[in-house]
Amino acid sequence: MLNEQLRHMLQAMPKAELHIHIEGSLEPELIFELAQRNGVSLPYASVEALRQAYAFTDLQSFLDIYYAGASVLLTEQDFYDMTMAYLRRAAADNVRHAEIFFDPQTHTTRGVPFRTVVDGIWRACQDGPISATLIMCFLRHLSEEEAIATLEEALPFRDKIIGVGLDSSEVGHPPEKFARVFERARNLGLHLVAHAGEEGPPAYIESALDVLNVERIDHGVRCLEDADLTARLVREQMALTVCPLSNIKLRVFDVMGDSNLRRLLDAGLAATVNSDDPAYFGGYVNDNYLAAFDALPLDVNHARQLARNSFAAAFLEPERKRAWLAEVDAFFDAARAA
Ligand code: ADE
Ligand code: ZN
């Protein structure tokens, strides 16, 4: 349960965010502003009408609206403005470092050049108030050939991307479908992550590890259905980027009290807390911490663990990682002394 002191600590503690789709940070107000700027007509009369449409029954019902929202992004400045808005909002939540997903295929299939997407997002990361790096996701509802073509398109921008991921409609699109493109990305020295075990079964988590060789699992909450898999994830200290509000909005769990975040931590899993698509799911990363701690038996020790896990699981130089972990420890030691 959440008292005022714990609420303050969750907000003030230094943290990393490892699961944020930049297109999912596009707020309805900015969607309307960009639509007007670009002469794009929207099938919603107002910001309020658009927000009203954010009532999802599952992942696909969300993705349909999310891809429609992204259709207002046309120019490099649009991608810059969206990214800068997220970085400022994350800084207010005391996020020190963000590893940001972007979906180039959502834009290149509409005729927006790859360069426009990456340059806009990347330039904002250089100008923004916090440390930020980019992970390019492949849309799993499209073919592996299209993913390979996207990876080839990214080669001139290799220095602007730290890794690749896999997102969009999970069920029916298992990790195996993308074995070759992940192998190619691995040979390029890119970090590897994949959404798995959000709506899909524990077997998808297993094949993300064995076939794709991922270094983190995005979501992964369904791992607890398989005791052997859970034991392996604990043994390997494989990070899970859990997104509590997303799981409720997409009906992975009915209510926050059903979230398995506490059970993941109790099992010894390297769980982290993240926002996924904050403009669509009712909040940024601190809202996720607050909602989970409000509904679940989580205390200050869990807060410290989650903050530590977020930096421990980040793709950072060891020295920067150590410095941020030390900042987390100093924060909680000072709070304990006070
Ligand atoms: N794209 C954006 N958010 C996603 C999610 N939660 N799962 C799969 N694909 C996504
Ligand atoms: Zn996601």
Coordinates of all heavy atoms in Angstrom, one line a residue, residues 176-251:
E176 N 10.2 -17.3 -33.8 CA 10.9 -18.1 -34.9 C 10.8 -17.4 -36.2 O 11.7 -17.5 -37.1 CB 10.3 -19.5 -35.0 CG 10.6 -20.4 -33.8 CD 9.6 -20.3 -32.6 OE1 9.1 -19.2 -32.4 OE2 9.4 -21.3 -32.0
K177 N 9.7 -16.7 -36.4 CA 9.4 -16.0 -37.7 C 10.6 -15.0 -38.1 O 10.8 -14.7 -39.2 CB 8.1 -15.3 -37.6 CG 7.6 -14.6 -38.9 CD 6.2 -14.0 -38.7 CE 5.9 -12.9 -39.7 NZ 4.6 -12.3 -39.4
F178 N 11.3 -14.5 -37.0 CA 12.3 -13.5 -37.2 C 13.7 -13.9 -36.9 O 14.6 -13.1 -36.6 CB 11.9 -12.3 -36.4 CG 10.6 -11.7 -36.9 CD1 9.4 -12.1 -36.3 CD2 10.5 -10.8 -38.0 CE1 8.1 -11.6 -36.8 CE2 9.3 -10.3 -38.4 CZ 8.1 -10.7 -37.8
A179 N 13.9 -15.3 -37.0 CA 15.2 -15.8 -36.6 C 16.3 -15.2 -37.4 O 17.4 -14.8 -36.9 CB 15.2 -17.3 -36.8
R180 N 16.2 -15.1 -38.8 CA 17.3 -14.7 -39.6 C 17.6 -13.2 -39.4 O 18.7 -12.8 -39.4 CB 16.9 -14.9 -41.1 CG 17.0 -16.4 -41.5 CD 16.6 -16.6 -42.9 NE 15.3 -16.0 -43.2 CZ 14.9 -15.5 -44.4 NH1 15.7 -15.7 -45.4 NH2 13.7 -15.0 -44.5
V181 N 16.6 -12.4 -39.3 CA 16.8 -10.9 -39.1 C 17.5 -10.6 -37.8 O 18.4 -9.8 -37.7 CB 15.6 -10.1 -39.4 CG1 14.6 -10.2 -38.2 CG2 15.9 -8.6 -39.6
F182 N 17.1 -11.4 -36.8 CA 17.8 -11.2 -35.5 C 19.2 -11.7 -35.5 O 20.1 -11.1 -34.9 CB 17.0 -11.9 -34.3 CG 16.0 -10.9 -33.7 CD1 14.9 -10.5 -34.4 CD2 16.2 -10.5 -32.4 CE1 14.0 -9.6 -33.8 CE2 15.3 -9.6 -31.8 CZ 14.2 -9.1 -32.5
E183 N 19.5 -12.8 -36.3 CA 20.8 -13.3 -36.4 C 21.7 -12.2 -37.1 O 22.8 -11.9 -36.7 CB 20.8 -14.6 -37.3 CG 22.1 -15.2 -37.6 CD 22.9 -15.6 -36.4 OE1 22.3 -15.9 -35.3 OE2 24.2 -15.7 -36.5
R184 N 21.1 -11.6 -38.1 CA 21.8 -10.5 -38.9 C 22.1 -9.3 -37.9 O 23.2 -8.8 -37.9 CB 21.0 -10.1 -40.1 CG 21.5 -8.9 -40.8 CD 22.1 -9.3 -42.1 NE 22.5 -8.1 -42.9 CZ 23.6 -7.5 -42.8 NH1 24.6 -7.9 -42.0 NH2 23.9 -6.4 -43.5
A185 N 21.1 -9.0 -37.1 CA 21.3 -7.9 -36.2 C 22.4 -8.2 -35.2 O 23.2 -7.3 -34.8 CB 20.0 -7.5 -35.5
R186 N 22.4 -9.4 -34.7 CA 23.4 -9.9 -33.8 C 24.8 -9.8 -34.4 O 25.7 -9.3 -33.7 CB 23.1 -11.3 -33.4 CG 23.9 -11.8 -32.1 CD 23.1 -12.9 -31.5 NE 23.6 -14.2 -31.9 CZ 24.3 -15.0 -31.1 NH1 24.5 -14.7 -29.9 NH2 24.6 -16.2 -31.5
N187 N 24.9 -10.2 -35.6 CA 26.2 -10.1 -36.3 C 26.7 -8.6 -36.5 O 27.9 -8.3 -36.6 CB 26.2 -10.8 -37.6 CG 26.1 -12.3 -37.5 OD1 26.5 -12.8 -36.5 ND2 25.5 -13.0 -38.5
L188 N 25.7 -7.7 -36.5 CA 26.1 -6.3 -36.6 C 26.4 -5.7 -35.2 O 26.7 -4.5 -35.1 CB 24.9 -5.5 -37.2 CG 24.6 -5.7 -38.6 CD1 23.2 -5.2 -39.0 CD2 25.7 -5.0 -39.5
G189 N 26.3 -6.5 -34.2 CA 26.7 -6.0 -32.8 C 25.6 -5.2 -32.1 O 25.8 -4.5 -31.2
L190 N 24.4 -5.4 -32.6 CA 23.2 -4.7 -32.0 C 22.7 -5.5 -30.8 O 22.8 -6.7 -30.8 CB 22.1 -4.5 -33.1 CG 22.4 -3.5 -34.2 CD1 21.6 -3.8 -35.4 CD2 22.1 -2.1 -33.7
H191 N 22.2 -4.8 -29.8 CA 21.5 -5.4 -28.7 C 20.2 -6.0 -29.2 O 19.6 -5.4 -30.2 CB 21.3 -4.4 -27.6 CG 22.5 -4.1 -26.8 ND1 23.1 -5.0 -26.0 CD2 23.2 -2.9 -26.7 CE1 24.2 -4.5 -25.5 NE2 24.3 -3.2 -25.9
L192 N 19.7 -7.0 -28.6 CA 18.5 -7.7 -29.0 C 17.5 -7.8 -27.9 O 17.8 -8.2 -26.8 CB 18.8 -9.1 -29.5 CG 20.0 -9.3 -30.5 CD1 20.2 -10.8 -30.8 CD2 19.6 -8.5 -31.8
V193 N 16.2 -7.4 -28.2 CA 15.1 -7.5 -27.2 C 13.9 -8.0 -28.0 O 13.9 -7.8 -29.2 CB 14.8 -6.2 -26.4 CG1 16.0 -5.8 -25.6 CG2 14.3 -5.1 -27.4
A194 N 12.9 -8.5 -27.4 CA 11.6 -8.8 -28.1 C 10.5 -8.8 -27.1 O 10.6 -9.2 -25.9 CB 11.7 -10.2 -28.7
H195 N 9.3 -8.3 -27.5 CA 8.1 -8.5 -26.8 C 7.8 -10.0 -26.8 O 7.8 -10.7 -27.8 CB 6.9 -7.8 -27.4 CG 6.9 -6.3 -27.2 ND1 8.0 -5.5 -27.5 CD2 5.9 -5.5 -26.7 CE1 7.7 -4.2 -27.2 NE2 6.4 -4.2 -26.7
A196 N 7.5 -10.6 -25.6 CA 7.1 -12.0 -25.5 C 6.4 -12.3 -24.2 O 6.8 -11.7 -23.2 CB 8.4 -12.9 -25.6
G197 N 5.4 -13.1 -24.3 CA 4.6 -13.4 -23.1 C 3.8 -12.2 -22.5 O 3.6 -12.1 -21.3
E198 N 3.4 -11.4 -23.4 CA 2.4 -10.3 -23.1 C 1.0 -10.9 -23.3 O 0.4 -11.2 -22.3 CB 2.6 -9.1 -24.0 CG 1.6 -8.0 -23.7 CD 1.7 -6.8 -24.8 OE1 2.3 -7.0 -25.8 OE2 1.2 -5.7 -24.4
E199 N 0.6 -11.2 -24.5 CA -0.6 -12.0 -24.8 C -0.2 -13.4 -25.2 O -1.0 -14.3 -25.1 CB -1.4 -11.4 -25.9 CG -2.2 -10.2 -25.5 CD -3.2 -9.8 -26.6 OE1 -3.1 -10.2 -27.7 OE2 -4.1 -9.0 -26.2
G200 N 1.0 -13.6 -25.7 CA 1.5 -14.9 -26.2 C 1.9 -15.8 -25.1 O 2.1 -15.4 -23.9
P201 N 2.0 -17.1 -25.4 CA 2.3 -18.1 -24.3 C 3.8 -18.1 -23.9 O 4.6 -17.5 -24.5 CB 2.0 -19.4 -25.1 CG 2.3 -19.1 -26.5 CD 1.9 -17.7 -26.7
P202 N 4.0 -18.8 -22.7 CA 5.4 -18.9 -22.3 C 6.4 -19.4 -23.3 O 7.6 -19.0 -23.3 CB 5.3 -19.8 -21.1 CG 3.9 -19.6 -20.6 CD 3.1 -19.4 -21.8
A203 N 5.9 -20.3 -24.2 CA 6.8 -20.8 -25.3 C 7.4 -19.7 -26.1 O 8.5 -19.9 -26.6 CB 6.0 -21.8 -26.1
Y204 N 6.7 -18.6 -26.3 CA 7.2 -17.5 -27.1 C 8.4 -16.8 -26.3 O 9.3 -16.3 -26.9 CB 6.2 -16.4 -27.3 CG 5.2 -16.7 -28.4 CD1 4.9 -18.0 -28.8 CD2 4.5 -15.7 -29.1 CE1 3.9 -18.3 -29.8 CE2 3.6 -15.9 -30.1 CZ 3.3 -17.2 -30.4 OH 2.4 -17.4 -31.4
I205 N 8.4 -16.8 -25.0 CA 9.5 -16.3 -24.2 C 10.7 -17.2 -24.4 O 11.8 -16.7 -24.6 CB 9.1 -16.2 -22.7 CG1 7.9 -15.3 -22.5 CG2 10.3 -15.8 -21.9 CD1 7.4 -15.2 -21.0
E206 N 10.4 -18.5 -24.4 CA 11.5 -19.5 -24.5 C 12.2 -19.3 -25.9 O 13.4 -19.3 -26.0 CB 10.9 -20.9 -24.3 CG 11.9 -21.8 -23.7 CD 11.2 -23.1 -23.2 OE1 10.0 -23.0 -22.9 OE2 11.8 -24.1 -23.1
S207 N 11.4 -19.2 -26.9 CA 12.0 -19.1 -28.3 C 12.6 -17.7 -28.5 O 13.5 -17.6 -29.3 CB 11.0 -19.5 -29.4 OG 9.8 -18.7 -29.3
A208 N 12.1 -16.7 -27.8 CA 12.8 -15.4 -27.9 C 14.2 -15.6 -27.4 O 15.2 -15.0 -27.9 CB 12.0 -14.3 -27.1
L209 N 14.4 -16.4 -26.3 CA 15.7 -16.6 -25.7 C 16.5 -17.5 -26.6 O 17.7 -17.2 -26.9 CB 15.6 -17.2 -24.4 CG 14.9 -16.4 -23.3 CD1 14.7 -17.3 -22.0 CD2 15.7 -15.2 -22.9
D210 N 16.0 -18.6 -27.0 CA 16.7 -19.7 -27.7 C 17.0 -19.4 -29.2 O 18.0 -19.8 -29.7 CB 16.1 -21.0 -27.5 CG 16.1 -21.5 -26.1 OD1 17.0 -21.1 -25.4 OD2 15.2 -22.3 -25.6
V211 N 16.0 -18.8 -29.8 CA 16.0 -18.6 -31.3 C 16.6 -17.2 -31.6 O 17.4 -17.1 -32.5 CB 14.7 -18.9 -32.0 CG1 14.8 -18.7 -33.5 CG2 14.2 -20.3 -31.6
L212 N 16.1 -16.2 -30.9 CA 16.5 -14.9 -31.2 C 17.7 -14.4 -30.4 O 18.3 -13.4 -30.7 CB 15.3 -13.9 -31.0 CG 14.0 -14.2 -31.7 CD1 13.0 -13.0 -31.5 CD2 14.2 -14.3 -33.2
N213 N 18.0 -15.1 -29.3 CA 19.1 -14.7 -28.4 C 18.9 -13.3 -27.8 O 19.9 -12.6 -27.7 CB 20.4 -14.8 -29.2 CG 20.8 -16.2 -29.5 OD1 21.2 -16.9 -28.5 ND2 20.8 -16.6 -30.7
V214 N 17.7 -13.0 -27.4 CA 17.5 -11.7 -26.8 C 18.1 -11.6 -25.4 O 18.4 -12.5 -24.7 CB 16.0 -11.4 -26.7 CG1 15.3 -11.4 -28.0 CG2 15.3 -12.3 -25.7
E215 N 18.4 -10.3 -25.1 CA 19.1 -10.0 -23.8 C 18.1 -9.5 -22.8 O 18.4 -9.3 -21.6 CB 20.1 -8.9 -24.1 CG 21.2 -9.4 -25.0 CD 21.9 -8.2 -25.6 OE1 22.8 -7.6 -25.0 OE2 21.6 -7.8 -26.8
R216 N 16.9 -9.1 -23.2 CA 15.8 -8.7 -22.3 C 14.5 -9.2 -22.9 O 14.4 -9.3 -24.1 CB 15.6 -7.2 -22.1 CG 16.8 -6.5 -21.4 CD 16.4 -5.1 -21.0 NE 16.0 -4.2 -22.0 CZ 16.6 -3.0 -22.3 NH1 17.8 -2.7 -21.7 NH2 16.2 -2.3 -23.3
I217 N 13.5 -9.5 -22.0 CA 12.2 -9.8 -22.5 C 11.2 -8.7 -22.2 O 11.1 -8.2 -21.0 CB 11.6 -11.1 -21.8 CG1 12.5 -12.3 -22.1 CG2 10.2 -11.3 -22.1 CD1 12.3 -12.9 -23.5
D218 N 10.6 -8.2 -23.2 CA 9.6 -7.1 -23.0 C 8.2 -7.7 -22.6 O 7.7 -8.6 -23.3 CB 9.5 -6.2 -24.3 CG 10.8 -5.5 -24.5 OD1 11.4 -4.9 -23.5 OD2 11.3 -5.6 -25.7
H219 N 7.7 -7.2 -21.5 CA 6.6 -7.8 -20.8 C 7.0 -9.1 -20.1 O 7.5 -9.1 -19.0 CB 5.4 -8.0 -21.7 CG 4.8 -6.8 -22.2 ND1 4.1 -5.8 -21.4 CD2 4.8 -6.2 -23.5 CE1 3.7 -4.8 -22.2 NE2 4.1 -5.0 -23.4
G220 N 6.8 -10.2 -20.7 CA 7.2 -11.5 -20.1 C 6.4 -12.0 -19.0 O 6.7 -13.0 -18.3
V221 N 5.3 -11.3 -18.7 CA 4.5 -11.6 -17.4 C 3.9 -13.0 -17.4 O 3.6 -13.5 -16.3 CB 3.4 -10.5 -17.2 CG1 4.0 -9.2 -16.8 CG2 2.5 -10.4 -18.4
R222 N 3.7 -13.6 -18.6 CA 3.1 -14.9 -18.6 C 4.1 -16.0 -18.3 O 3.8 -17.2 -18.2 CB 2.4 -15.2 -19.9 CG 1.1 -14.3 -20.1 CD 0.3 -14.8 -21.3 NE -0.1 -16.2 -21.1 CZ -0.6 -17.0 -22.1 NH1 -0.8 -16.4 -23.3 NH2 -1.0 -18.2 -21.9
C223 N 5.4 -15.6 -18.0 CA 6.4 -16.6 -17.6 C 6.0 -17.5 -16.4 O 6.4 -18.6 -16.3 CB 7.8 -16.0 -17.4 SG 7.9 -15.0 -15.9
L224 N 5.2 -16.9 -15.5 CA 4.9 -17.6 -14.3 C 4.0 -18.8 -14.5 O 3.9 -19.6 -13.6 CB 4.2 -16.7 -13.2 CG 5.1 -15.5 -12.6 CD1 4.3 -14.8 -11.6 CD2 6.4 -16.1 -12.1
E225 N 3.5 -18.9 -15.7 CA 2.7 -20.1 -16.0 C 3.6 -21.3 -16.2 O 3.0 -22.5 -16.3 CB 1.9 -19.9 -17.3 CG 0.8 -18.8 -17.1 CD 0.2 -18.4 -18.5 OE1 0.1 -19.2 -19.4 OE2 -0.2 -17.2 -18.6
D226 N 4.9 -21.1 -16.3 CA 5.8 -22.2 -16.6 C 6.9 -22.2 -15.6 O 7.8 -21.3 -15.6 CB 6.3 -22.1 -18.0 CG 7.3 -23.2 -18.4 OD1 8.0 -23.8 -17.5 OD2 7.3 -23.6 -19.6
A227 N 6.9 -23.2 -14.6 CA 7.9 -23.1 -13.5 C 9.3 -23.3 -14.0 O 10.2 -22.6 -13.5 CB 7.5 -24.3 -12.5
D228 N 9.5 -24.2 -15.0 CA 10.9 -24.4 -15.5 C 11.4 -23.1 -16.2 O 12.6 -22.7 -16.0 CB 10.9 -25.5 -16.5 CG 10.7 -26.9 -15.8 OD1 10.8 -26.9 -14.6 OD2 10.3 -27.9 -16.5
L229 N 10.6 -22.5 -16.9 CA 11.0 -21.2 -17.6 C 11.3 -20.2 -16.6 O 12.3 -19.4 -16.7 CB 9.8 -20.8 -18.5 CG 10.0 -19.4 -19.2 CD1 11.3 -19.4 -20.1 CD2 8.8 -19.0 -20.0
T230 N 10.4 -20.1 -15.5 CA 10.6 -19.1 -14.5 C 12.0 -19.3 -13.8 O 12.8 -18.3 -13.6 CB 9.5 -19.1 -13.4 OG1 8.3 -18.9 -14.1 CG2 9.7 -18.1 -12.3
A231 N 12.3 -20.6 -13.5 CA 13.6 -20.9 -12.9 C 14.7 -20.5 -13.8 O 15.7 -19.9 -13.3 CB 13.6 -22.4 -12.5
R232 N 14.6 -20.7 -15.0 CA 15.6 -20.3 -16.0 C 15.8 -18.8 -16.0 O 17.0 -18.3 -16.0 CB 15.3 -20.8 -17.4 CG 16.2 -20.3 -18.4 CD 15.8 -20.7 -19.8 NE 16.8 -20.3 -20.8 CZ 16.7 -20.4 -22.1 NH1 15.6 -21.1 -22.6 NH2 17.6 -19.9 -22.9
L233 N 14.7 -18.1 -16.1 CA 14.8 -16.6 -16.1 C 15.5 -16.0 -14.9 O 16.2 -15.1 -14.9 CB 13.4 -16.0 -16.3 CG 12.7 -16.3 -17.7 CD1 11.3 -15.9 -17.6 CD2 13.4 -15.6 -18.8
V234 N 15.2 -16.7 -13.8 CA 15.8 -16.3 -12.5 C 17.3 -16.6 -12.5 O 18.1 -15.7 -12.2 CB 15.2 -17.0 -11.3 CG1 15.9 -16.7 -10.0 CG2 13.7 -16.6 -11.1
R235 N 17.6 -17.8 -13.0 CA 19.0 -18.2 -13.0 C 19.8 -17.3 -13.9 O 20.9 -16.9 -13.6 CB 19.1 -19.7 -13.6 CG 20.3 -20.4 -13.3 CD 20.1 -21.9 -13.6 NE 19.7 -22.2 -15.0 CZ 18.5 -22.8 -15.2 NH1 17.7 -23.2 -14.3 NH2 18.2 -23.1 -16.5
E236 N 19.3 -17.0 -15.1 CA 20.0 -16.1 -16.0 C 19.8 -14.6 -15.7 O 20.4 -13.8 -16.4 CB 19.5 -16.4 -17.4 CG 19.8 -17.8 -17.9 CD 19.2 -18.2 -19.3 OE1 18.7 -17.3 -20.0 OE2 19.4 -19.3 -19.7
Q237 N 19.0 -14.3 -14.7 CA 18.7 -12.9 -14.3 C 18.3 -12.1 -15.6 O 18.8 -11.0 -15.8 CB 19.9 -12.3 -13.6 CG 19.9 -12.7 -12.1 CD 18.6 -12.2 -11.4 OE1 18.3 -11.0 -11.1 NE2 17.7 -13.2 -11.0
M238 N 17.4 -12.7 -16.3 CA 16.9 -12.1 -17.6 C 15.9 -11.0 -17.2 O 14.9 -11.3 -16.5 CB 16.3 -13.2 -18.4 CG 15.7 -12.7 -19.7 SD 16.9 -12.1 -20.9 CE 18.1 -13.4 -21.0
A239 N 16.2 -9.8 -17.6 CA 15.3 -8.7 -17.2 C 14.0 -8.8 -18.0 O 13.9 -9.2 -19.1 CB 16.0 -7.4 -17.6
L240 N 12.9 -8.5 -17.2 CA 11.6 -8.4 -17.8 C 11.2 -6.9 -17.7 O 11.2 -6.3 -16.7 CB 10.6 -9.2 -17.0 CG 10.9 -10.7 -16.8 CD1 9.7 -11.3 -16.0 CD2 11.1 -11.4 -18.1
T241 N 10.8 -6.3 -18.9 CA 10.3 -4.9 -18.8 C 8.8 -4.9 -18.7 O 8.1 -5.0 -19.7 CB 10.8 -4.2 -20.1 OG1 10.2 -4.8 -21.2 CG2 12.3 -4.1 -20.2
V242 N 8.4 -4.9 -17.4 CA 6.9 -5.0 -17.1 C 6.3 -3.6 -17.2 O 6.9 -2.6 -16.9 CB 6.8 -5.6 -15.7 CG1 5.3 -5.6 -15.3 CG2 7.4 -7.0 -15.6
C243 N 5.0 -3.6 -17.7 CA 4.3 -2.4 -18.0 C 2.9 -2.5 -17.3 O 2.0 -2.9 -18.0 CB 4.2 -2.1 -19.4 SG 5.8 -2.1 -20.3
P244 N 2.8 -2.1 -16.0 CA 1.6 -2.4 -15.3 C 0.3 -1.8 -15.8 O -0.7 -2.5 -16.0 CB 1.9 -1.9 -13.9 CG 3.4 -2.0 -13.7 CD 3.9 -1.6 -15.1
L245 N 0.3 -0.5 -16.1 CA -0.9 0.1 -16.7 C -1.3 -0.5 -18.0 O -2.5 -0.7 -18.3 CB -0.8 1.6 -16.8 CG -0.8 2.4 -15.4 CD1 -0.4 3.8 -15.6 CD2 -2.2 2.3 -14.8
S246 N -0.3 -0.8 -18.9 CA -0.6 -1.4 -20.2 C -1.3 -2.7 -20.0 O -2.3 -3.0 -20.6 CB 0.8 -1.6 -20.9 OG 0.6 -2.5 -22.0
N247 N -0.8 -3.5 -19.0 CA -1.4 -4.8 -18.8 C -2.9 -4.8 -18.4 O -3.7 -5.7 -18.7 CB -0.6 -5.6 -17.7 CG 0.7 -6.1 -18.2 OD1 1.5 -6.5 -17.4 ND2 1.0 -6.1 -19.5
I248 N -3.2 -3.7 -17.7 CA -4.7 -3.5 -17.3 C -5.5 -3.0 -18.5 O -6.5 -3.6 -18.8 CB -4.8 -2.5 -16.1 CG1 -3.9 -3.0 -14.9 CG2 -6.3 -2.4 -15.7 CD1 -4.0 -4.4 -14.5
K249 N -5.0 -2.0 -19.2 CA -5.7 -1.4 -20.3 C -5.9 -2.5 -21.4 O -6.9 -2.4 -22.2 CB -5.0 -0.2 -20.9 CG -4.9 0.9 -19.9 CD -6.2 1.6 -19.7 CE -6.0 2.7 -18.6 NZ -7.2 3.4 -18.3
L250 N -4.9 -3.4 -21.6 CA -5.1 -4.4 -22.7 C -5.6 -5.7 -22.2 O -5.6 -6.7 -22.9 CB -3.7 -4.5 -23.4 CG -3.1 -3.3 -24.0 CD1 -1.8 -3.6 -24.8 CD2 -4.1 -2.6 -24.9
R251 N -6.1 -5.7 -20.9 CA -6.8 -6.8 -20.3 C -6.0 -8.1 -20.2 O -6.5 -9.2 -20.2 CB -8.1 -7.1 -21.1 CG -9.0 -5.9 -21.4 CD -9.4 -5.1 -20.2 NE -10.1 -6.0 -19.3 CZ -11.4 -6.2 -19.3 NH1 -12.2 -5.7 -20.1 NH2 -11.9 -7.0 -18.3

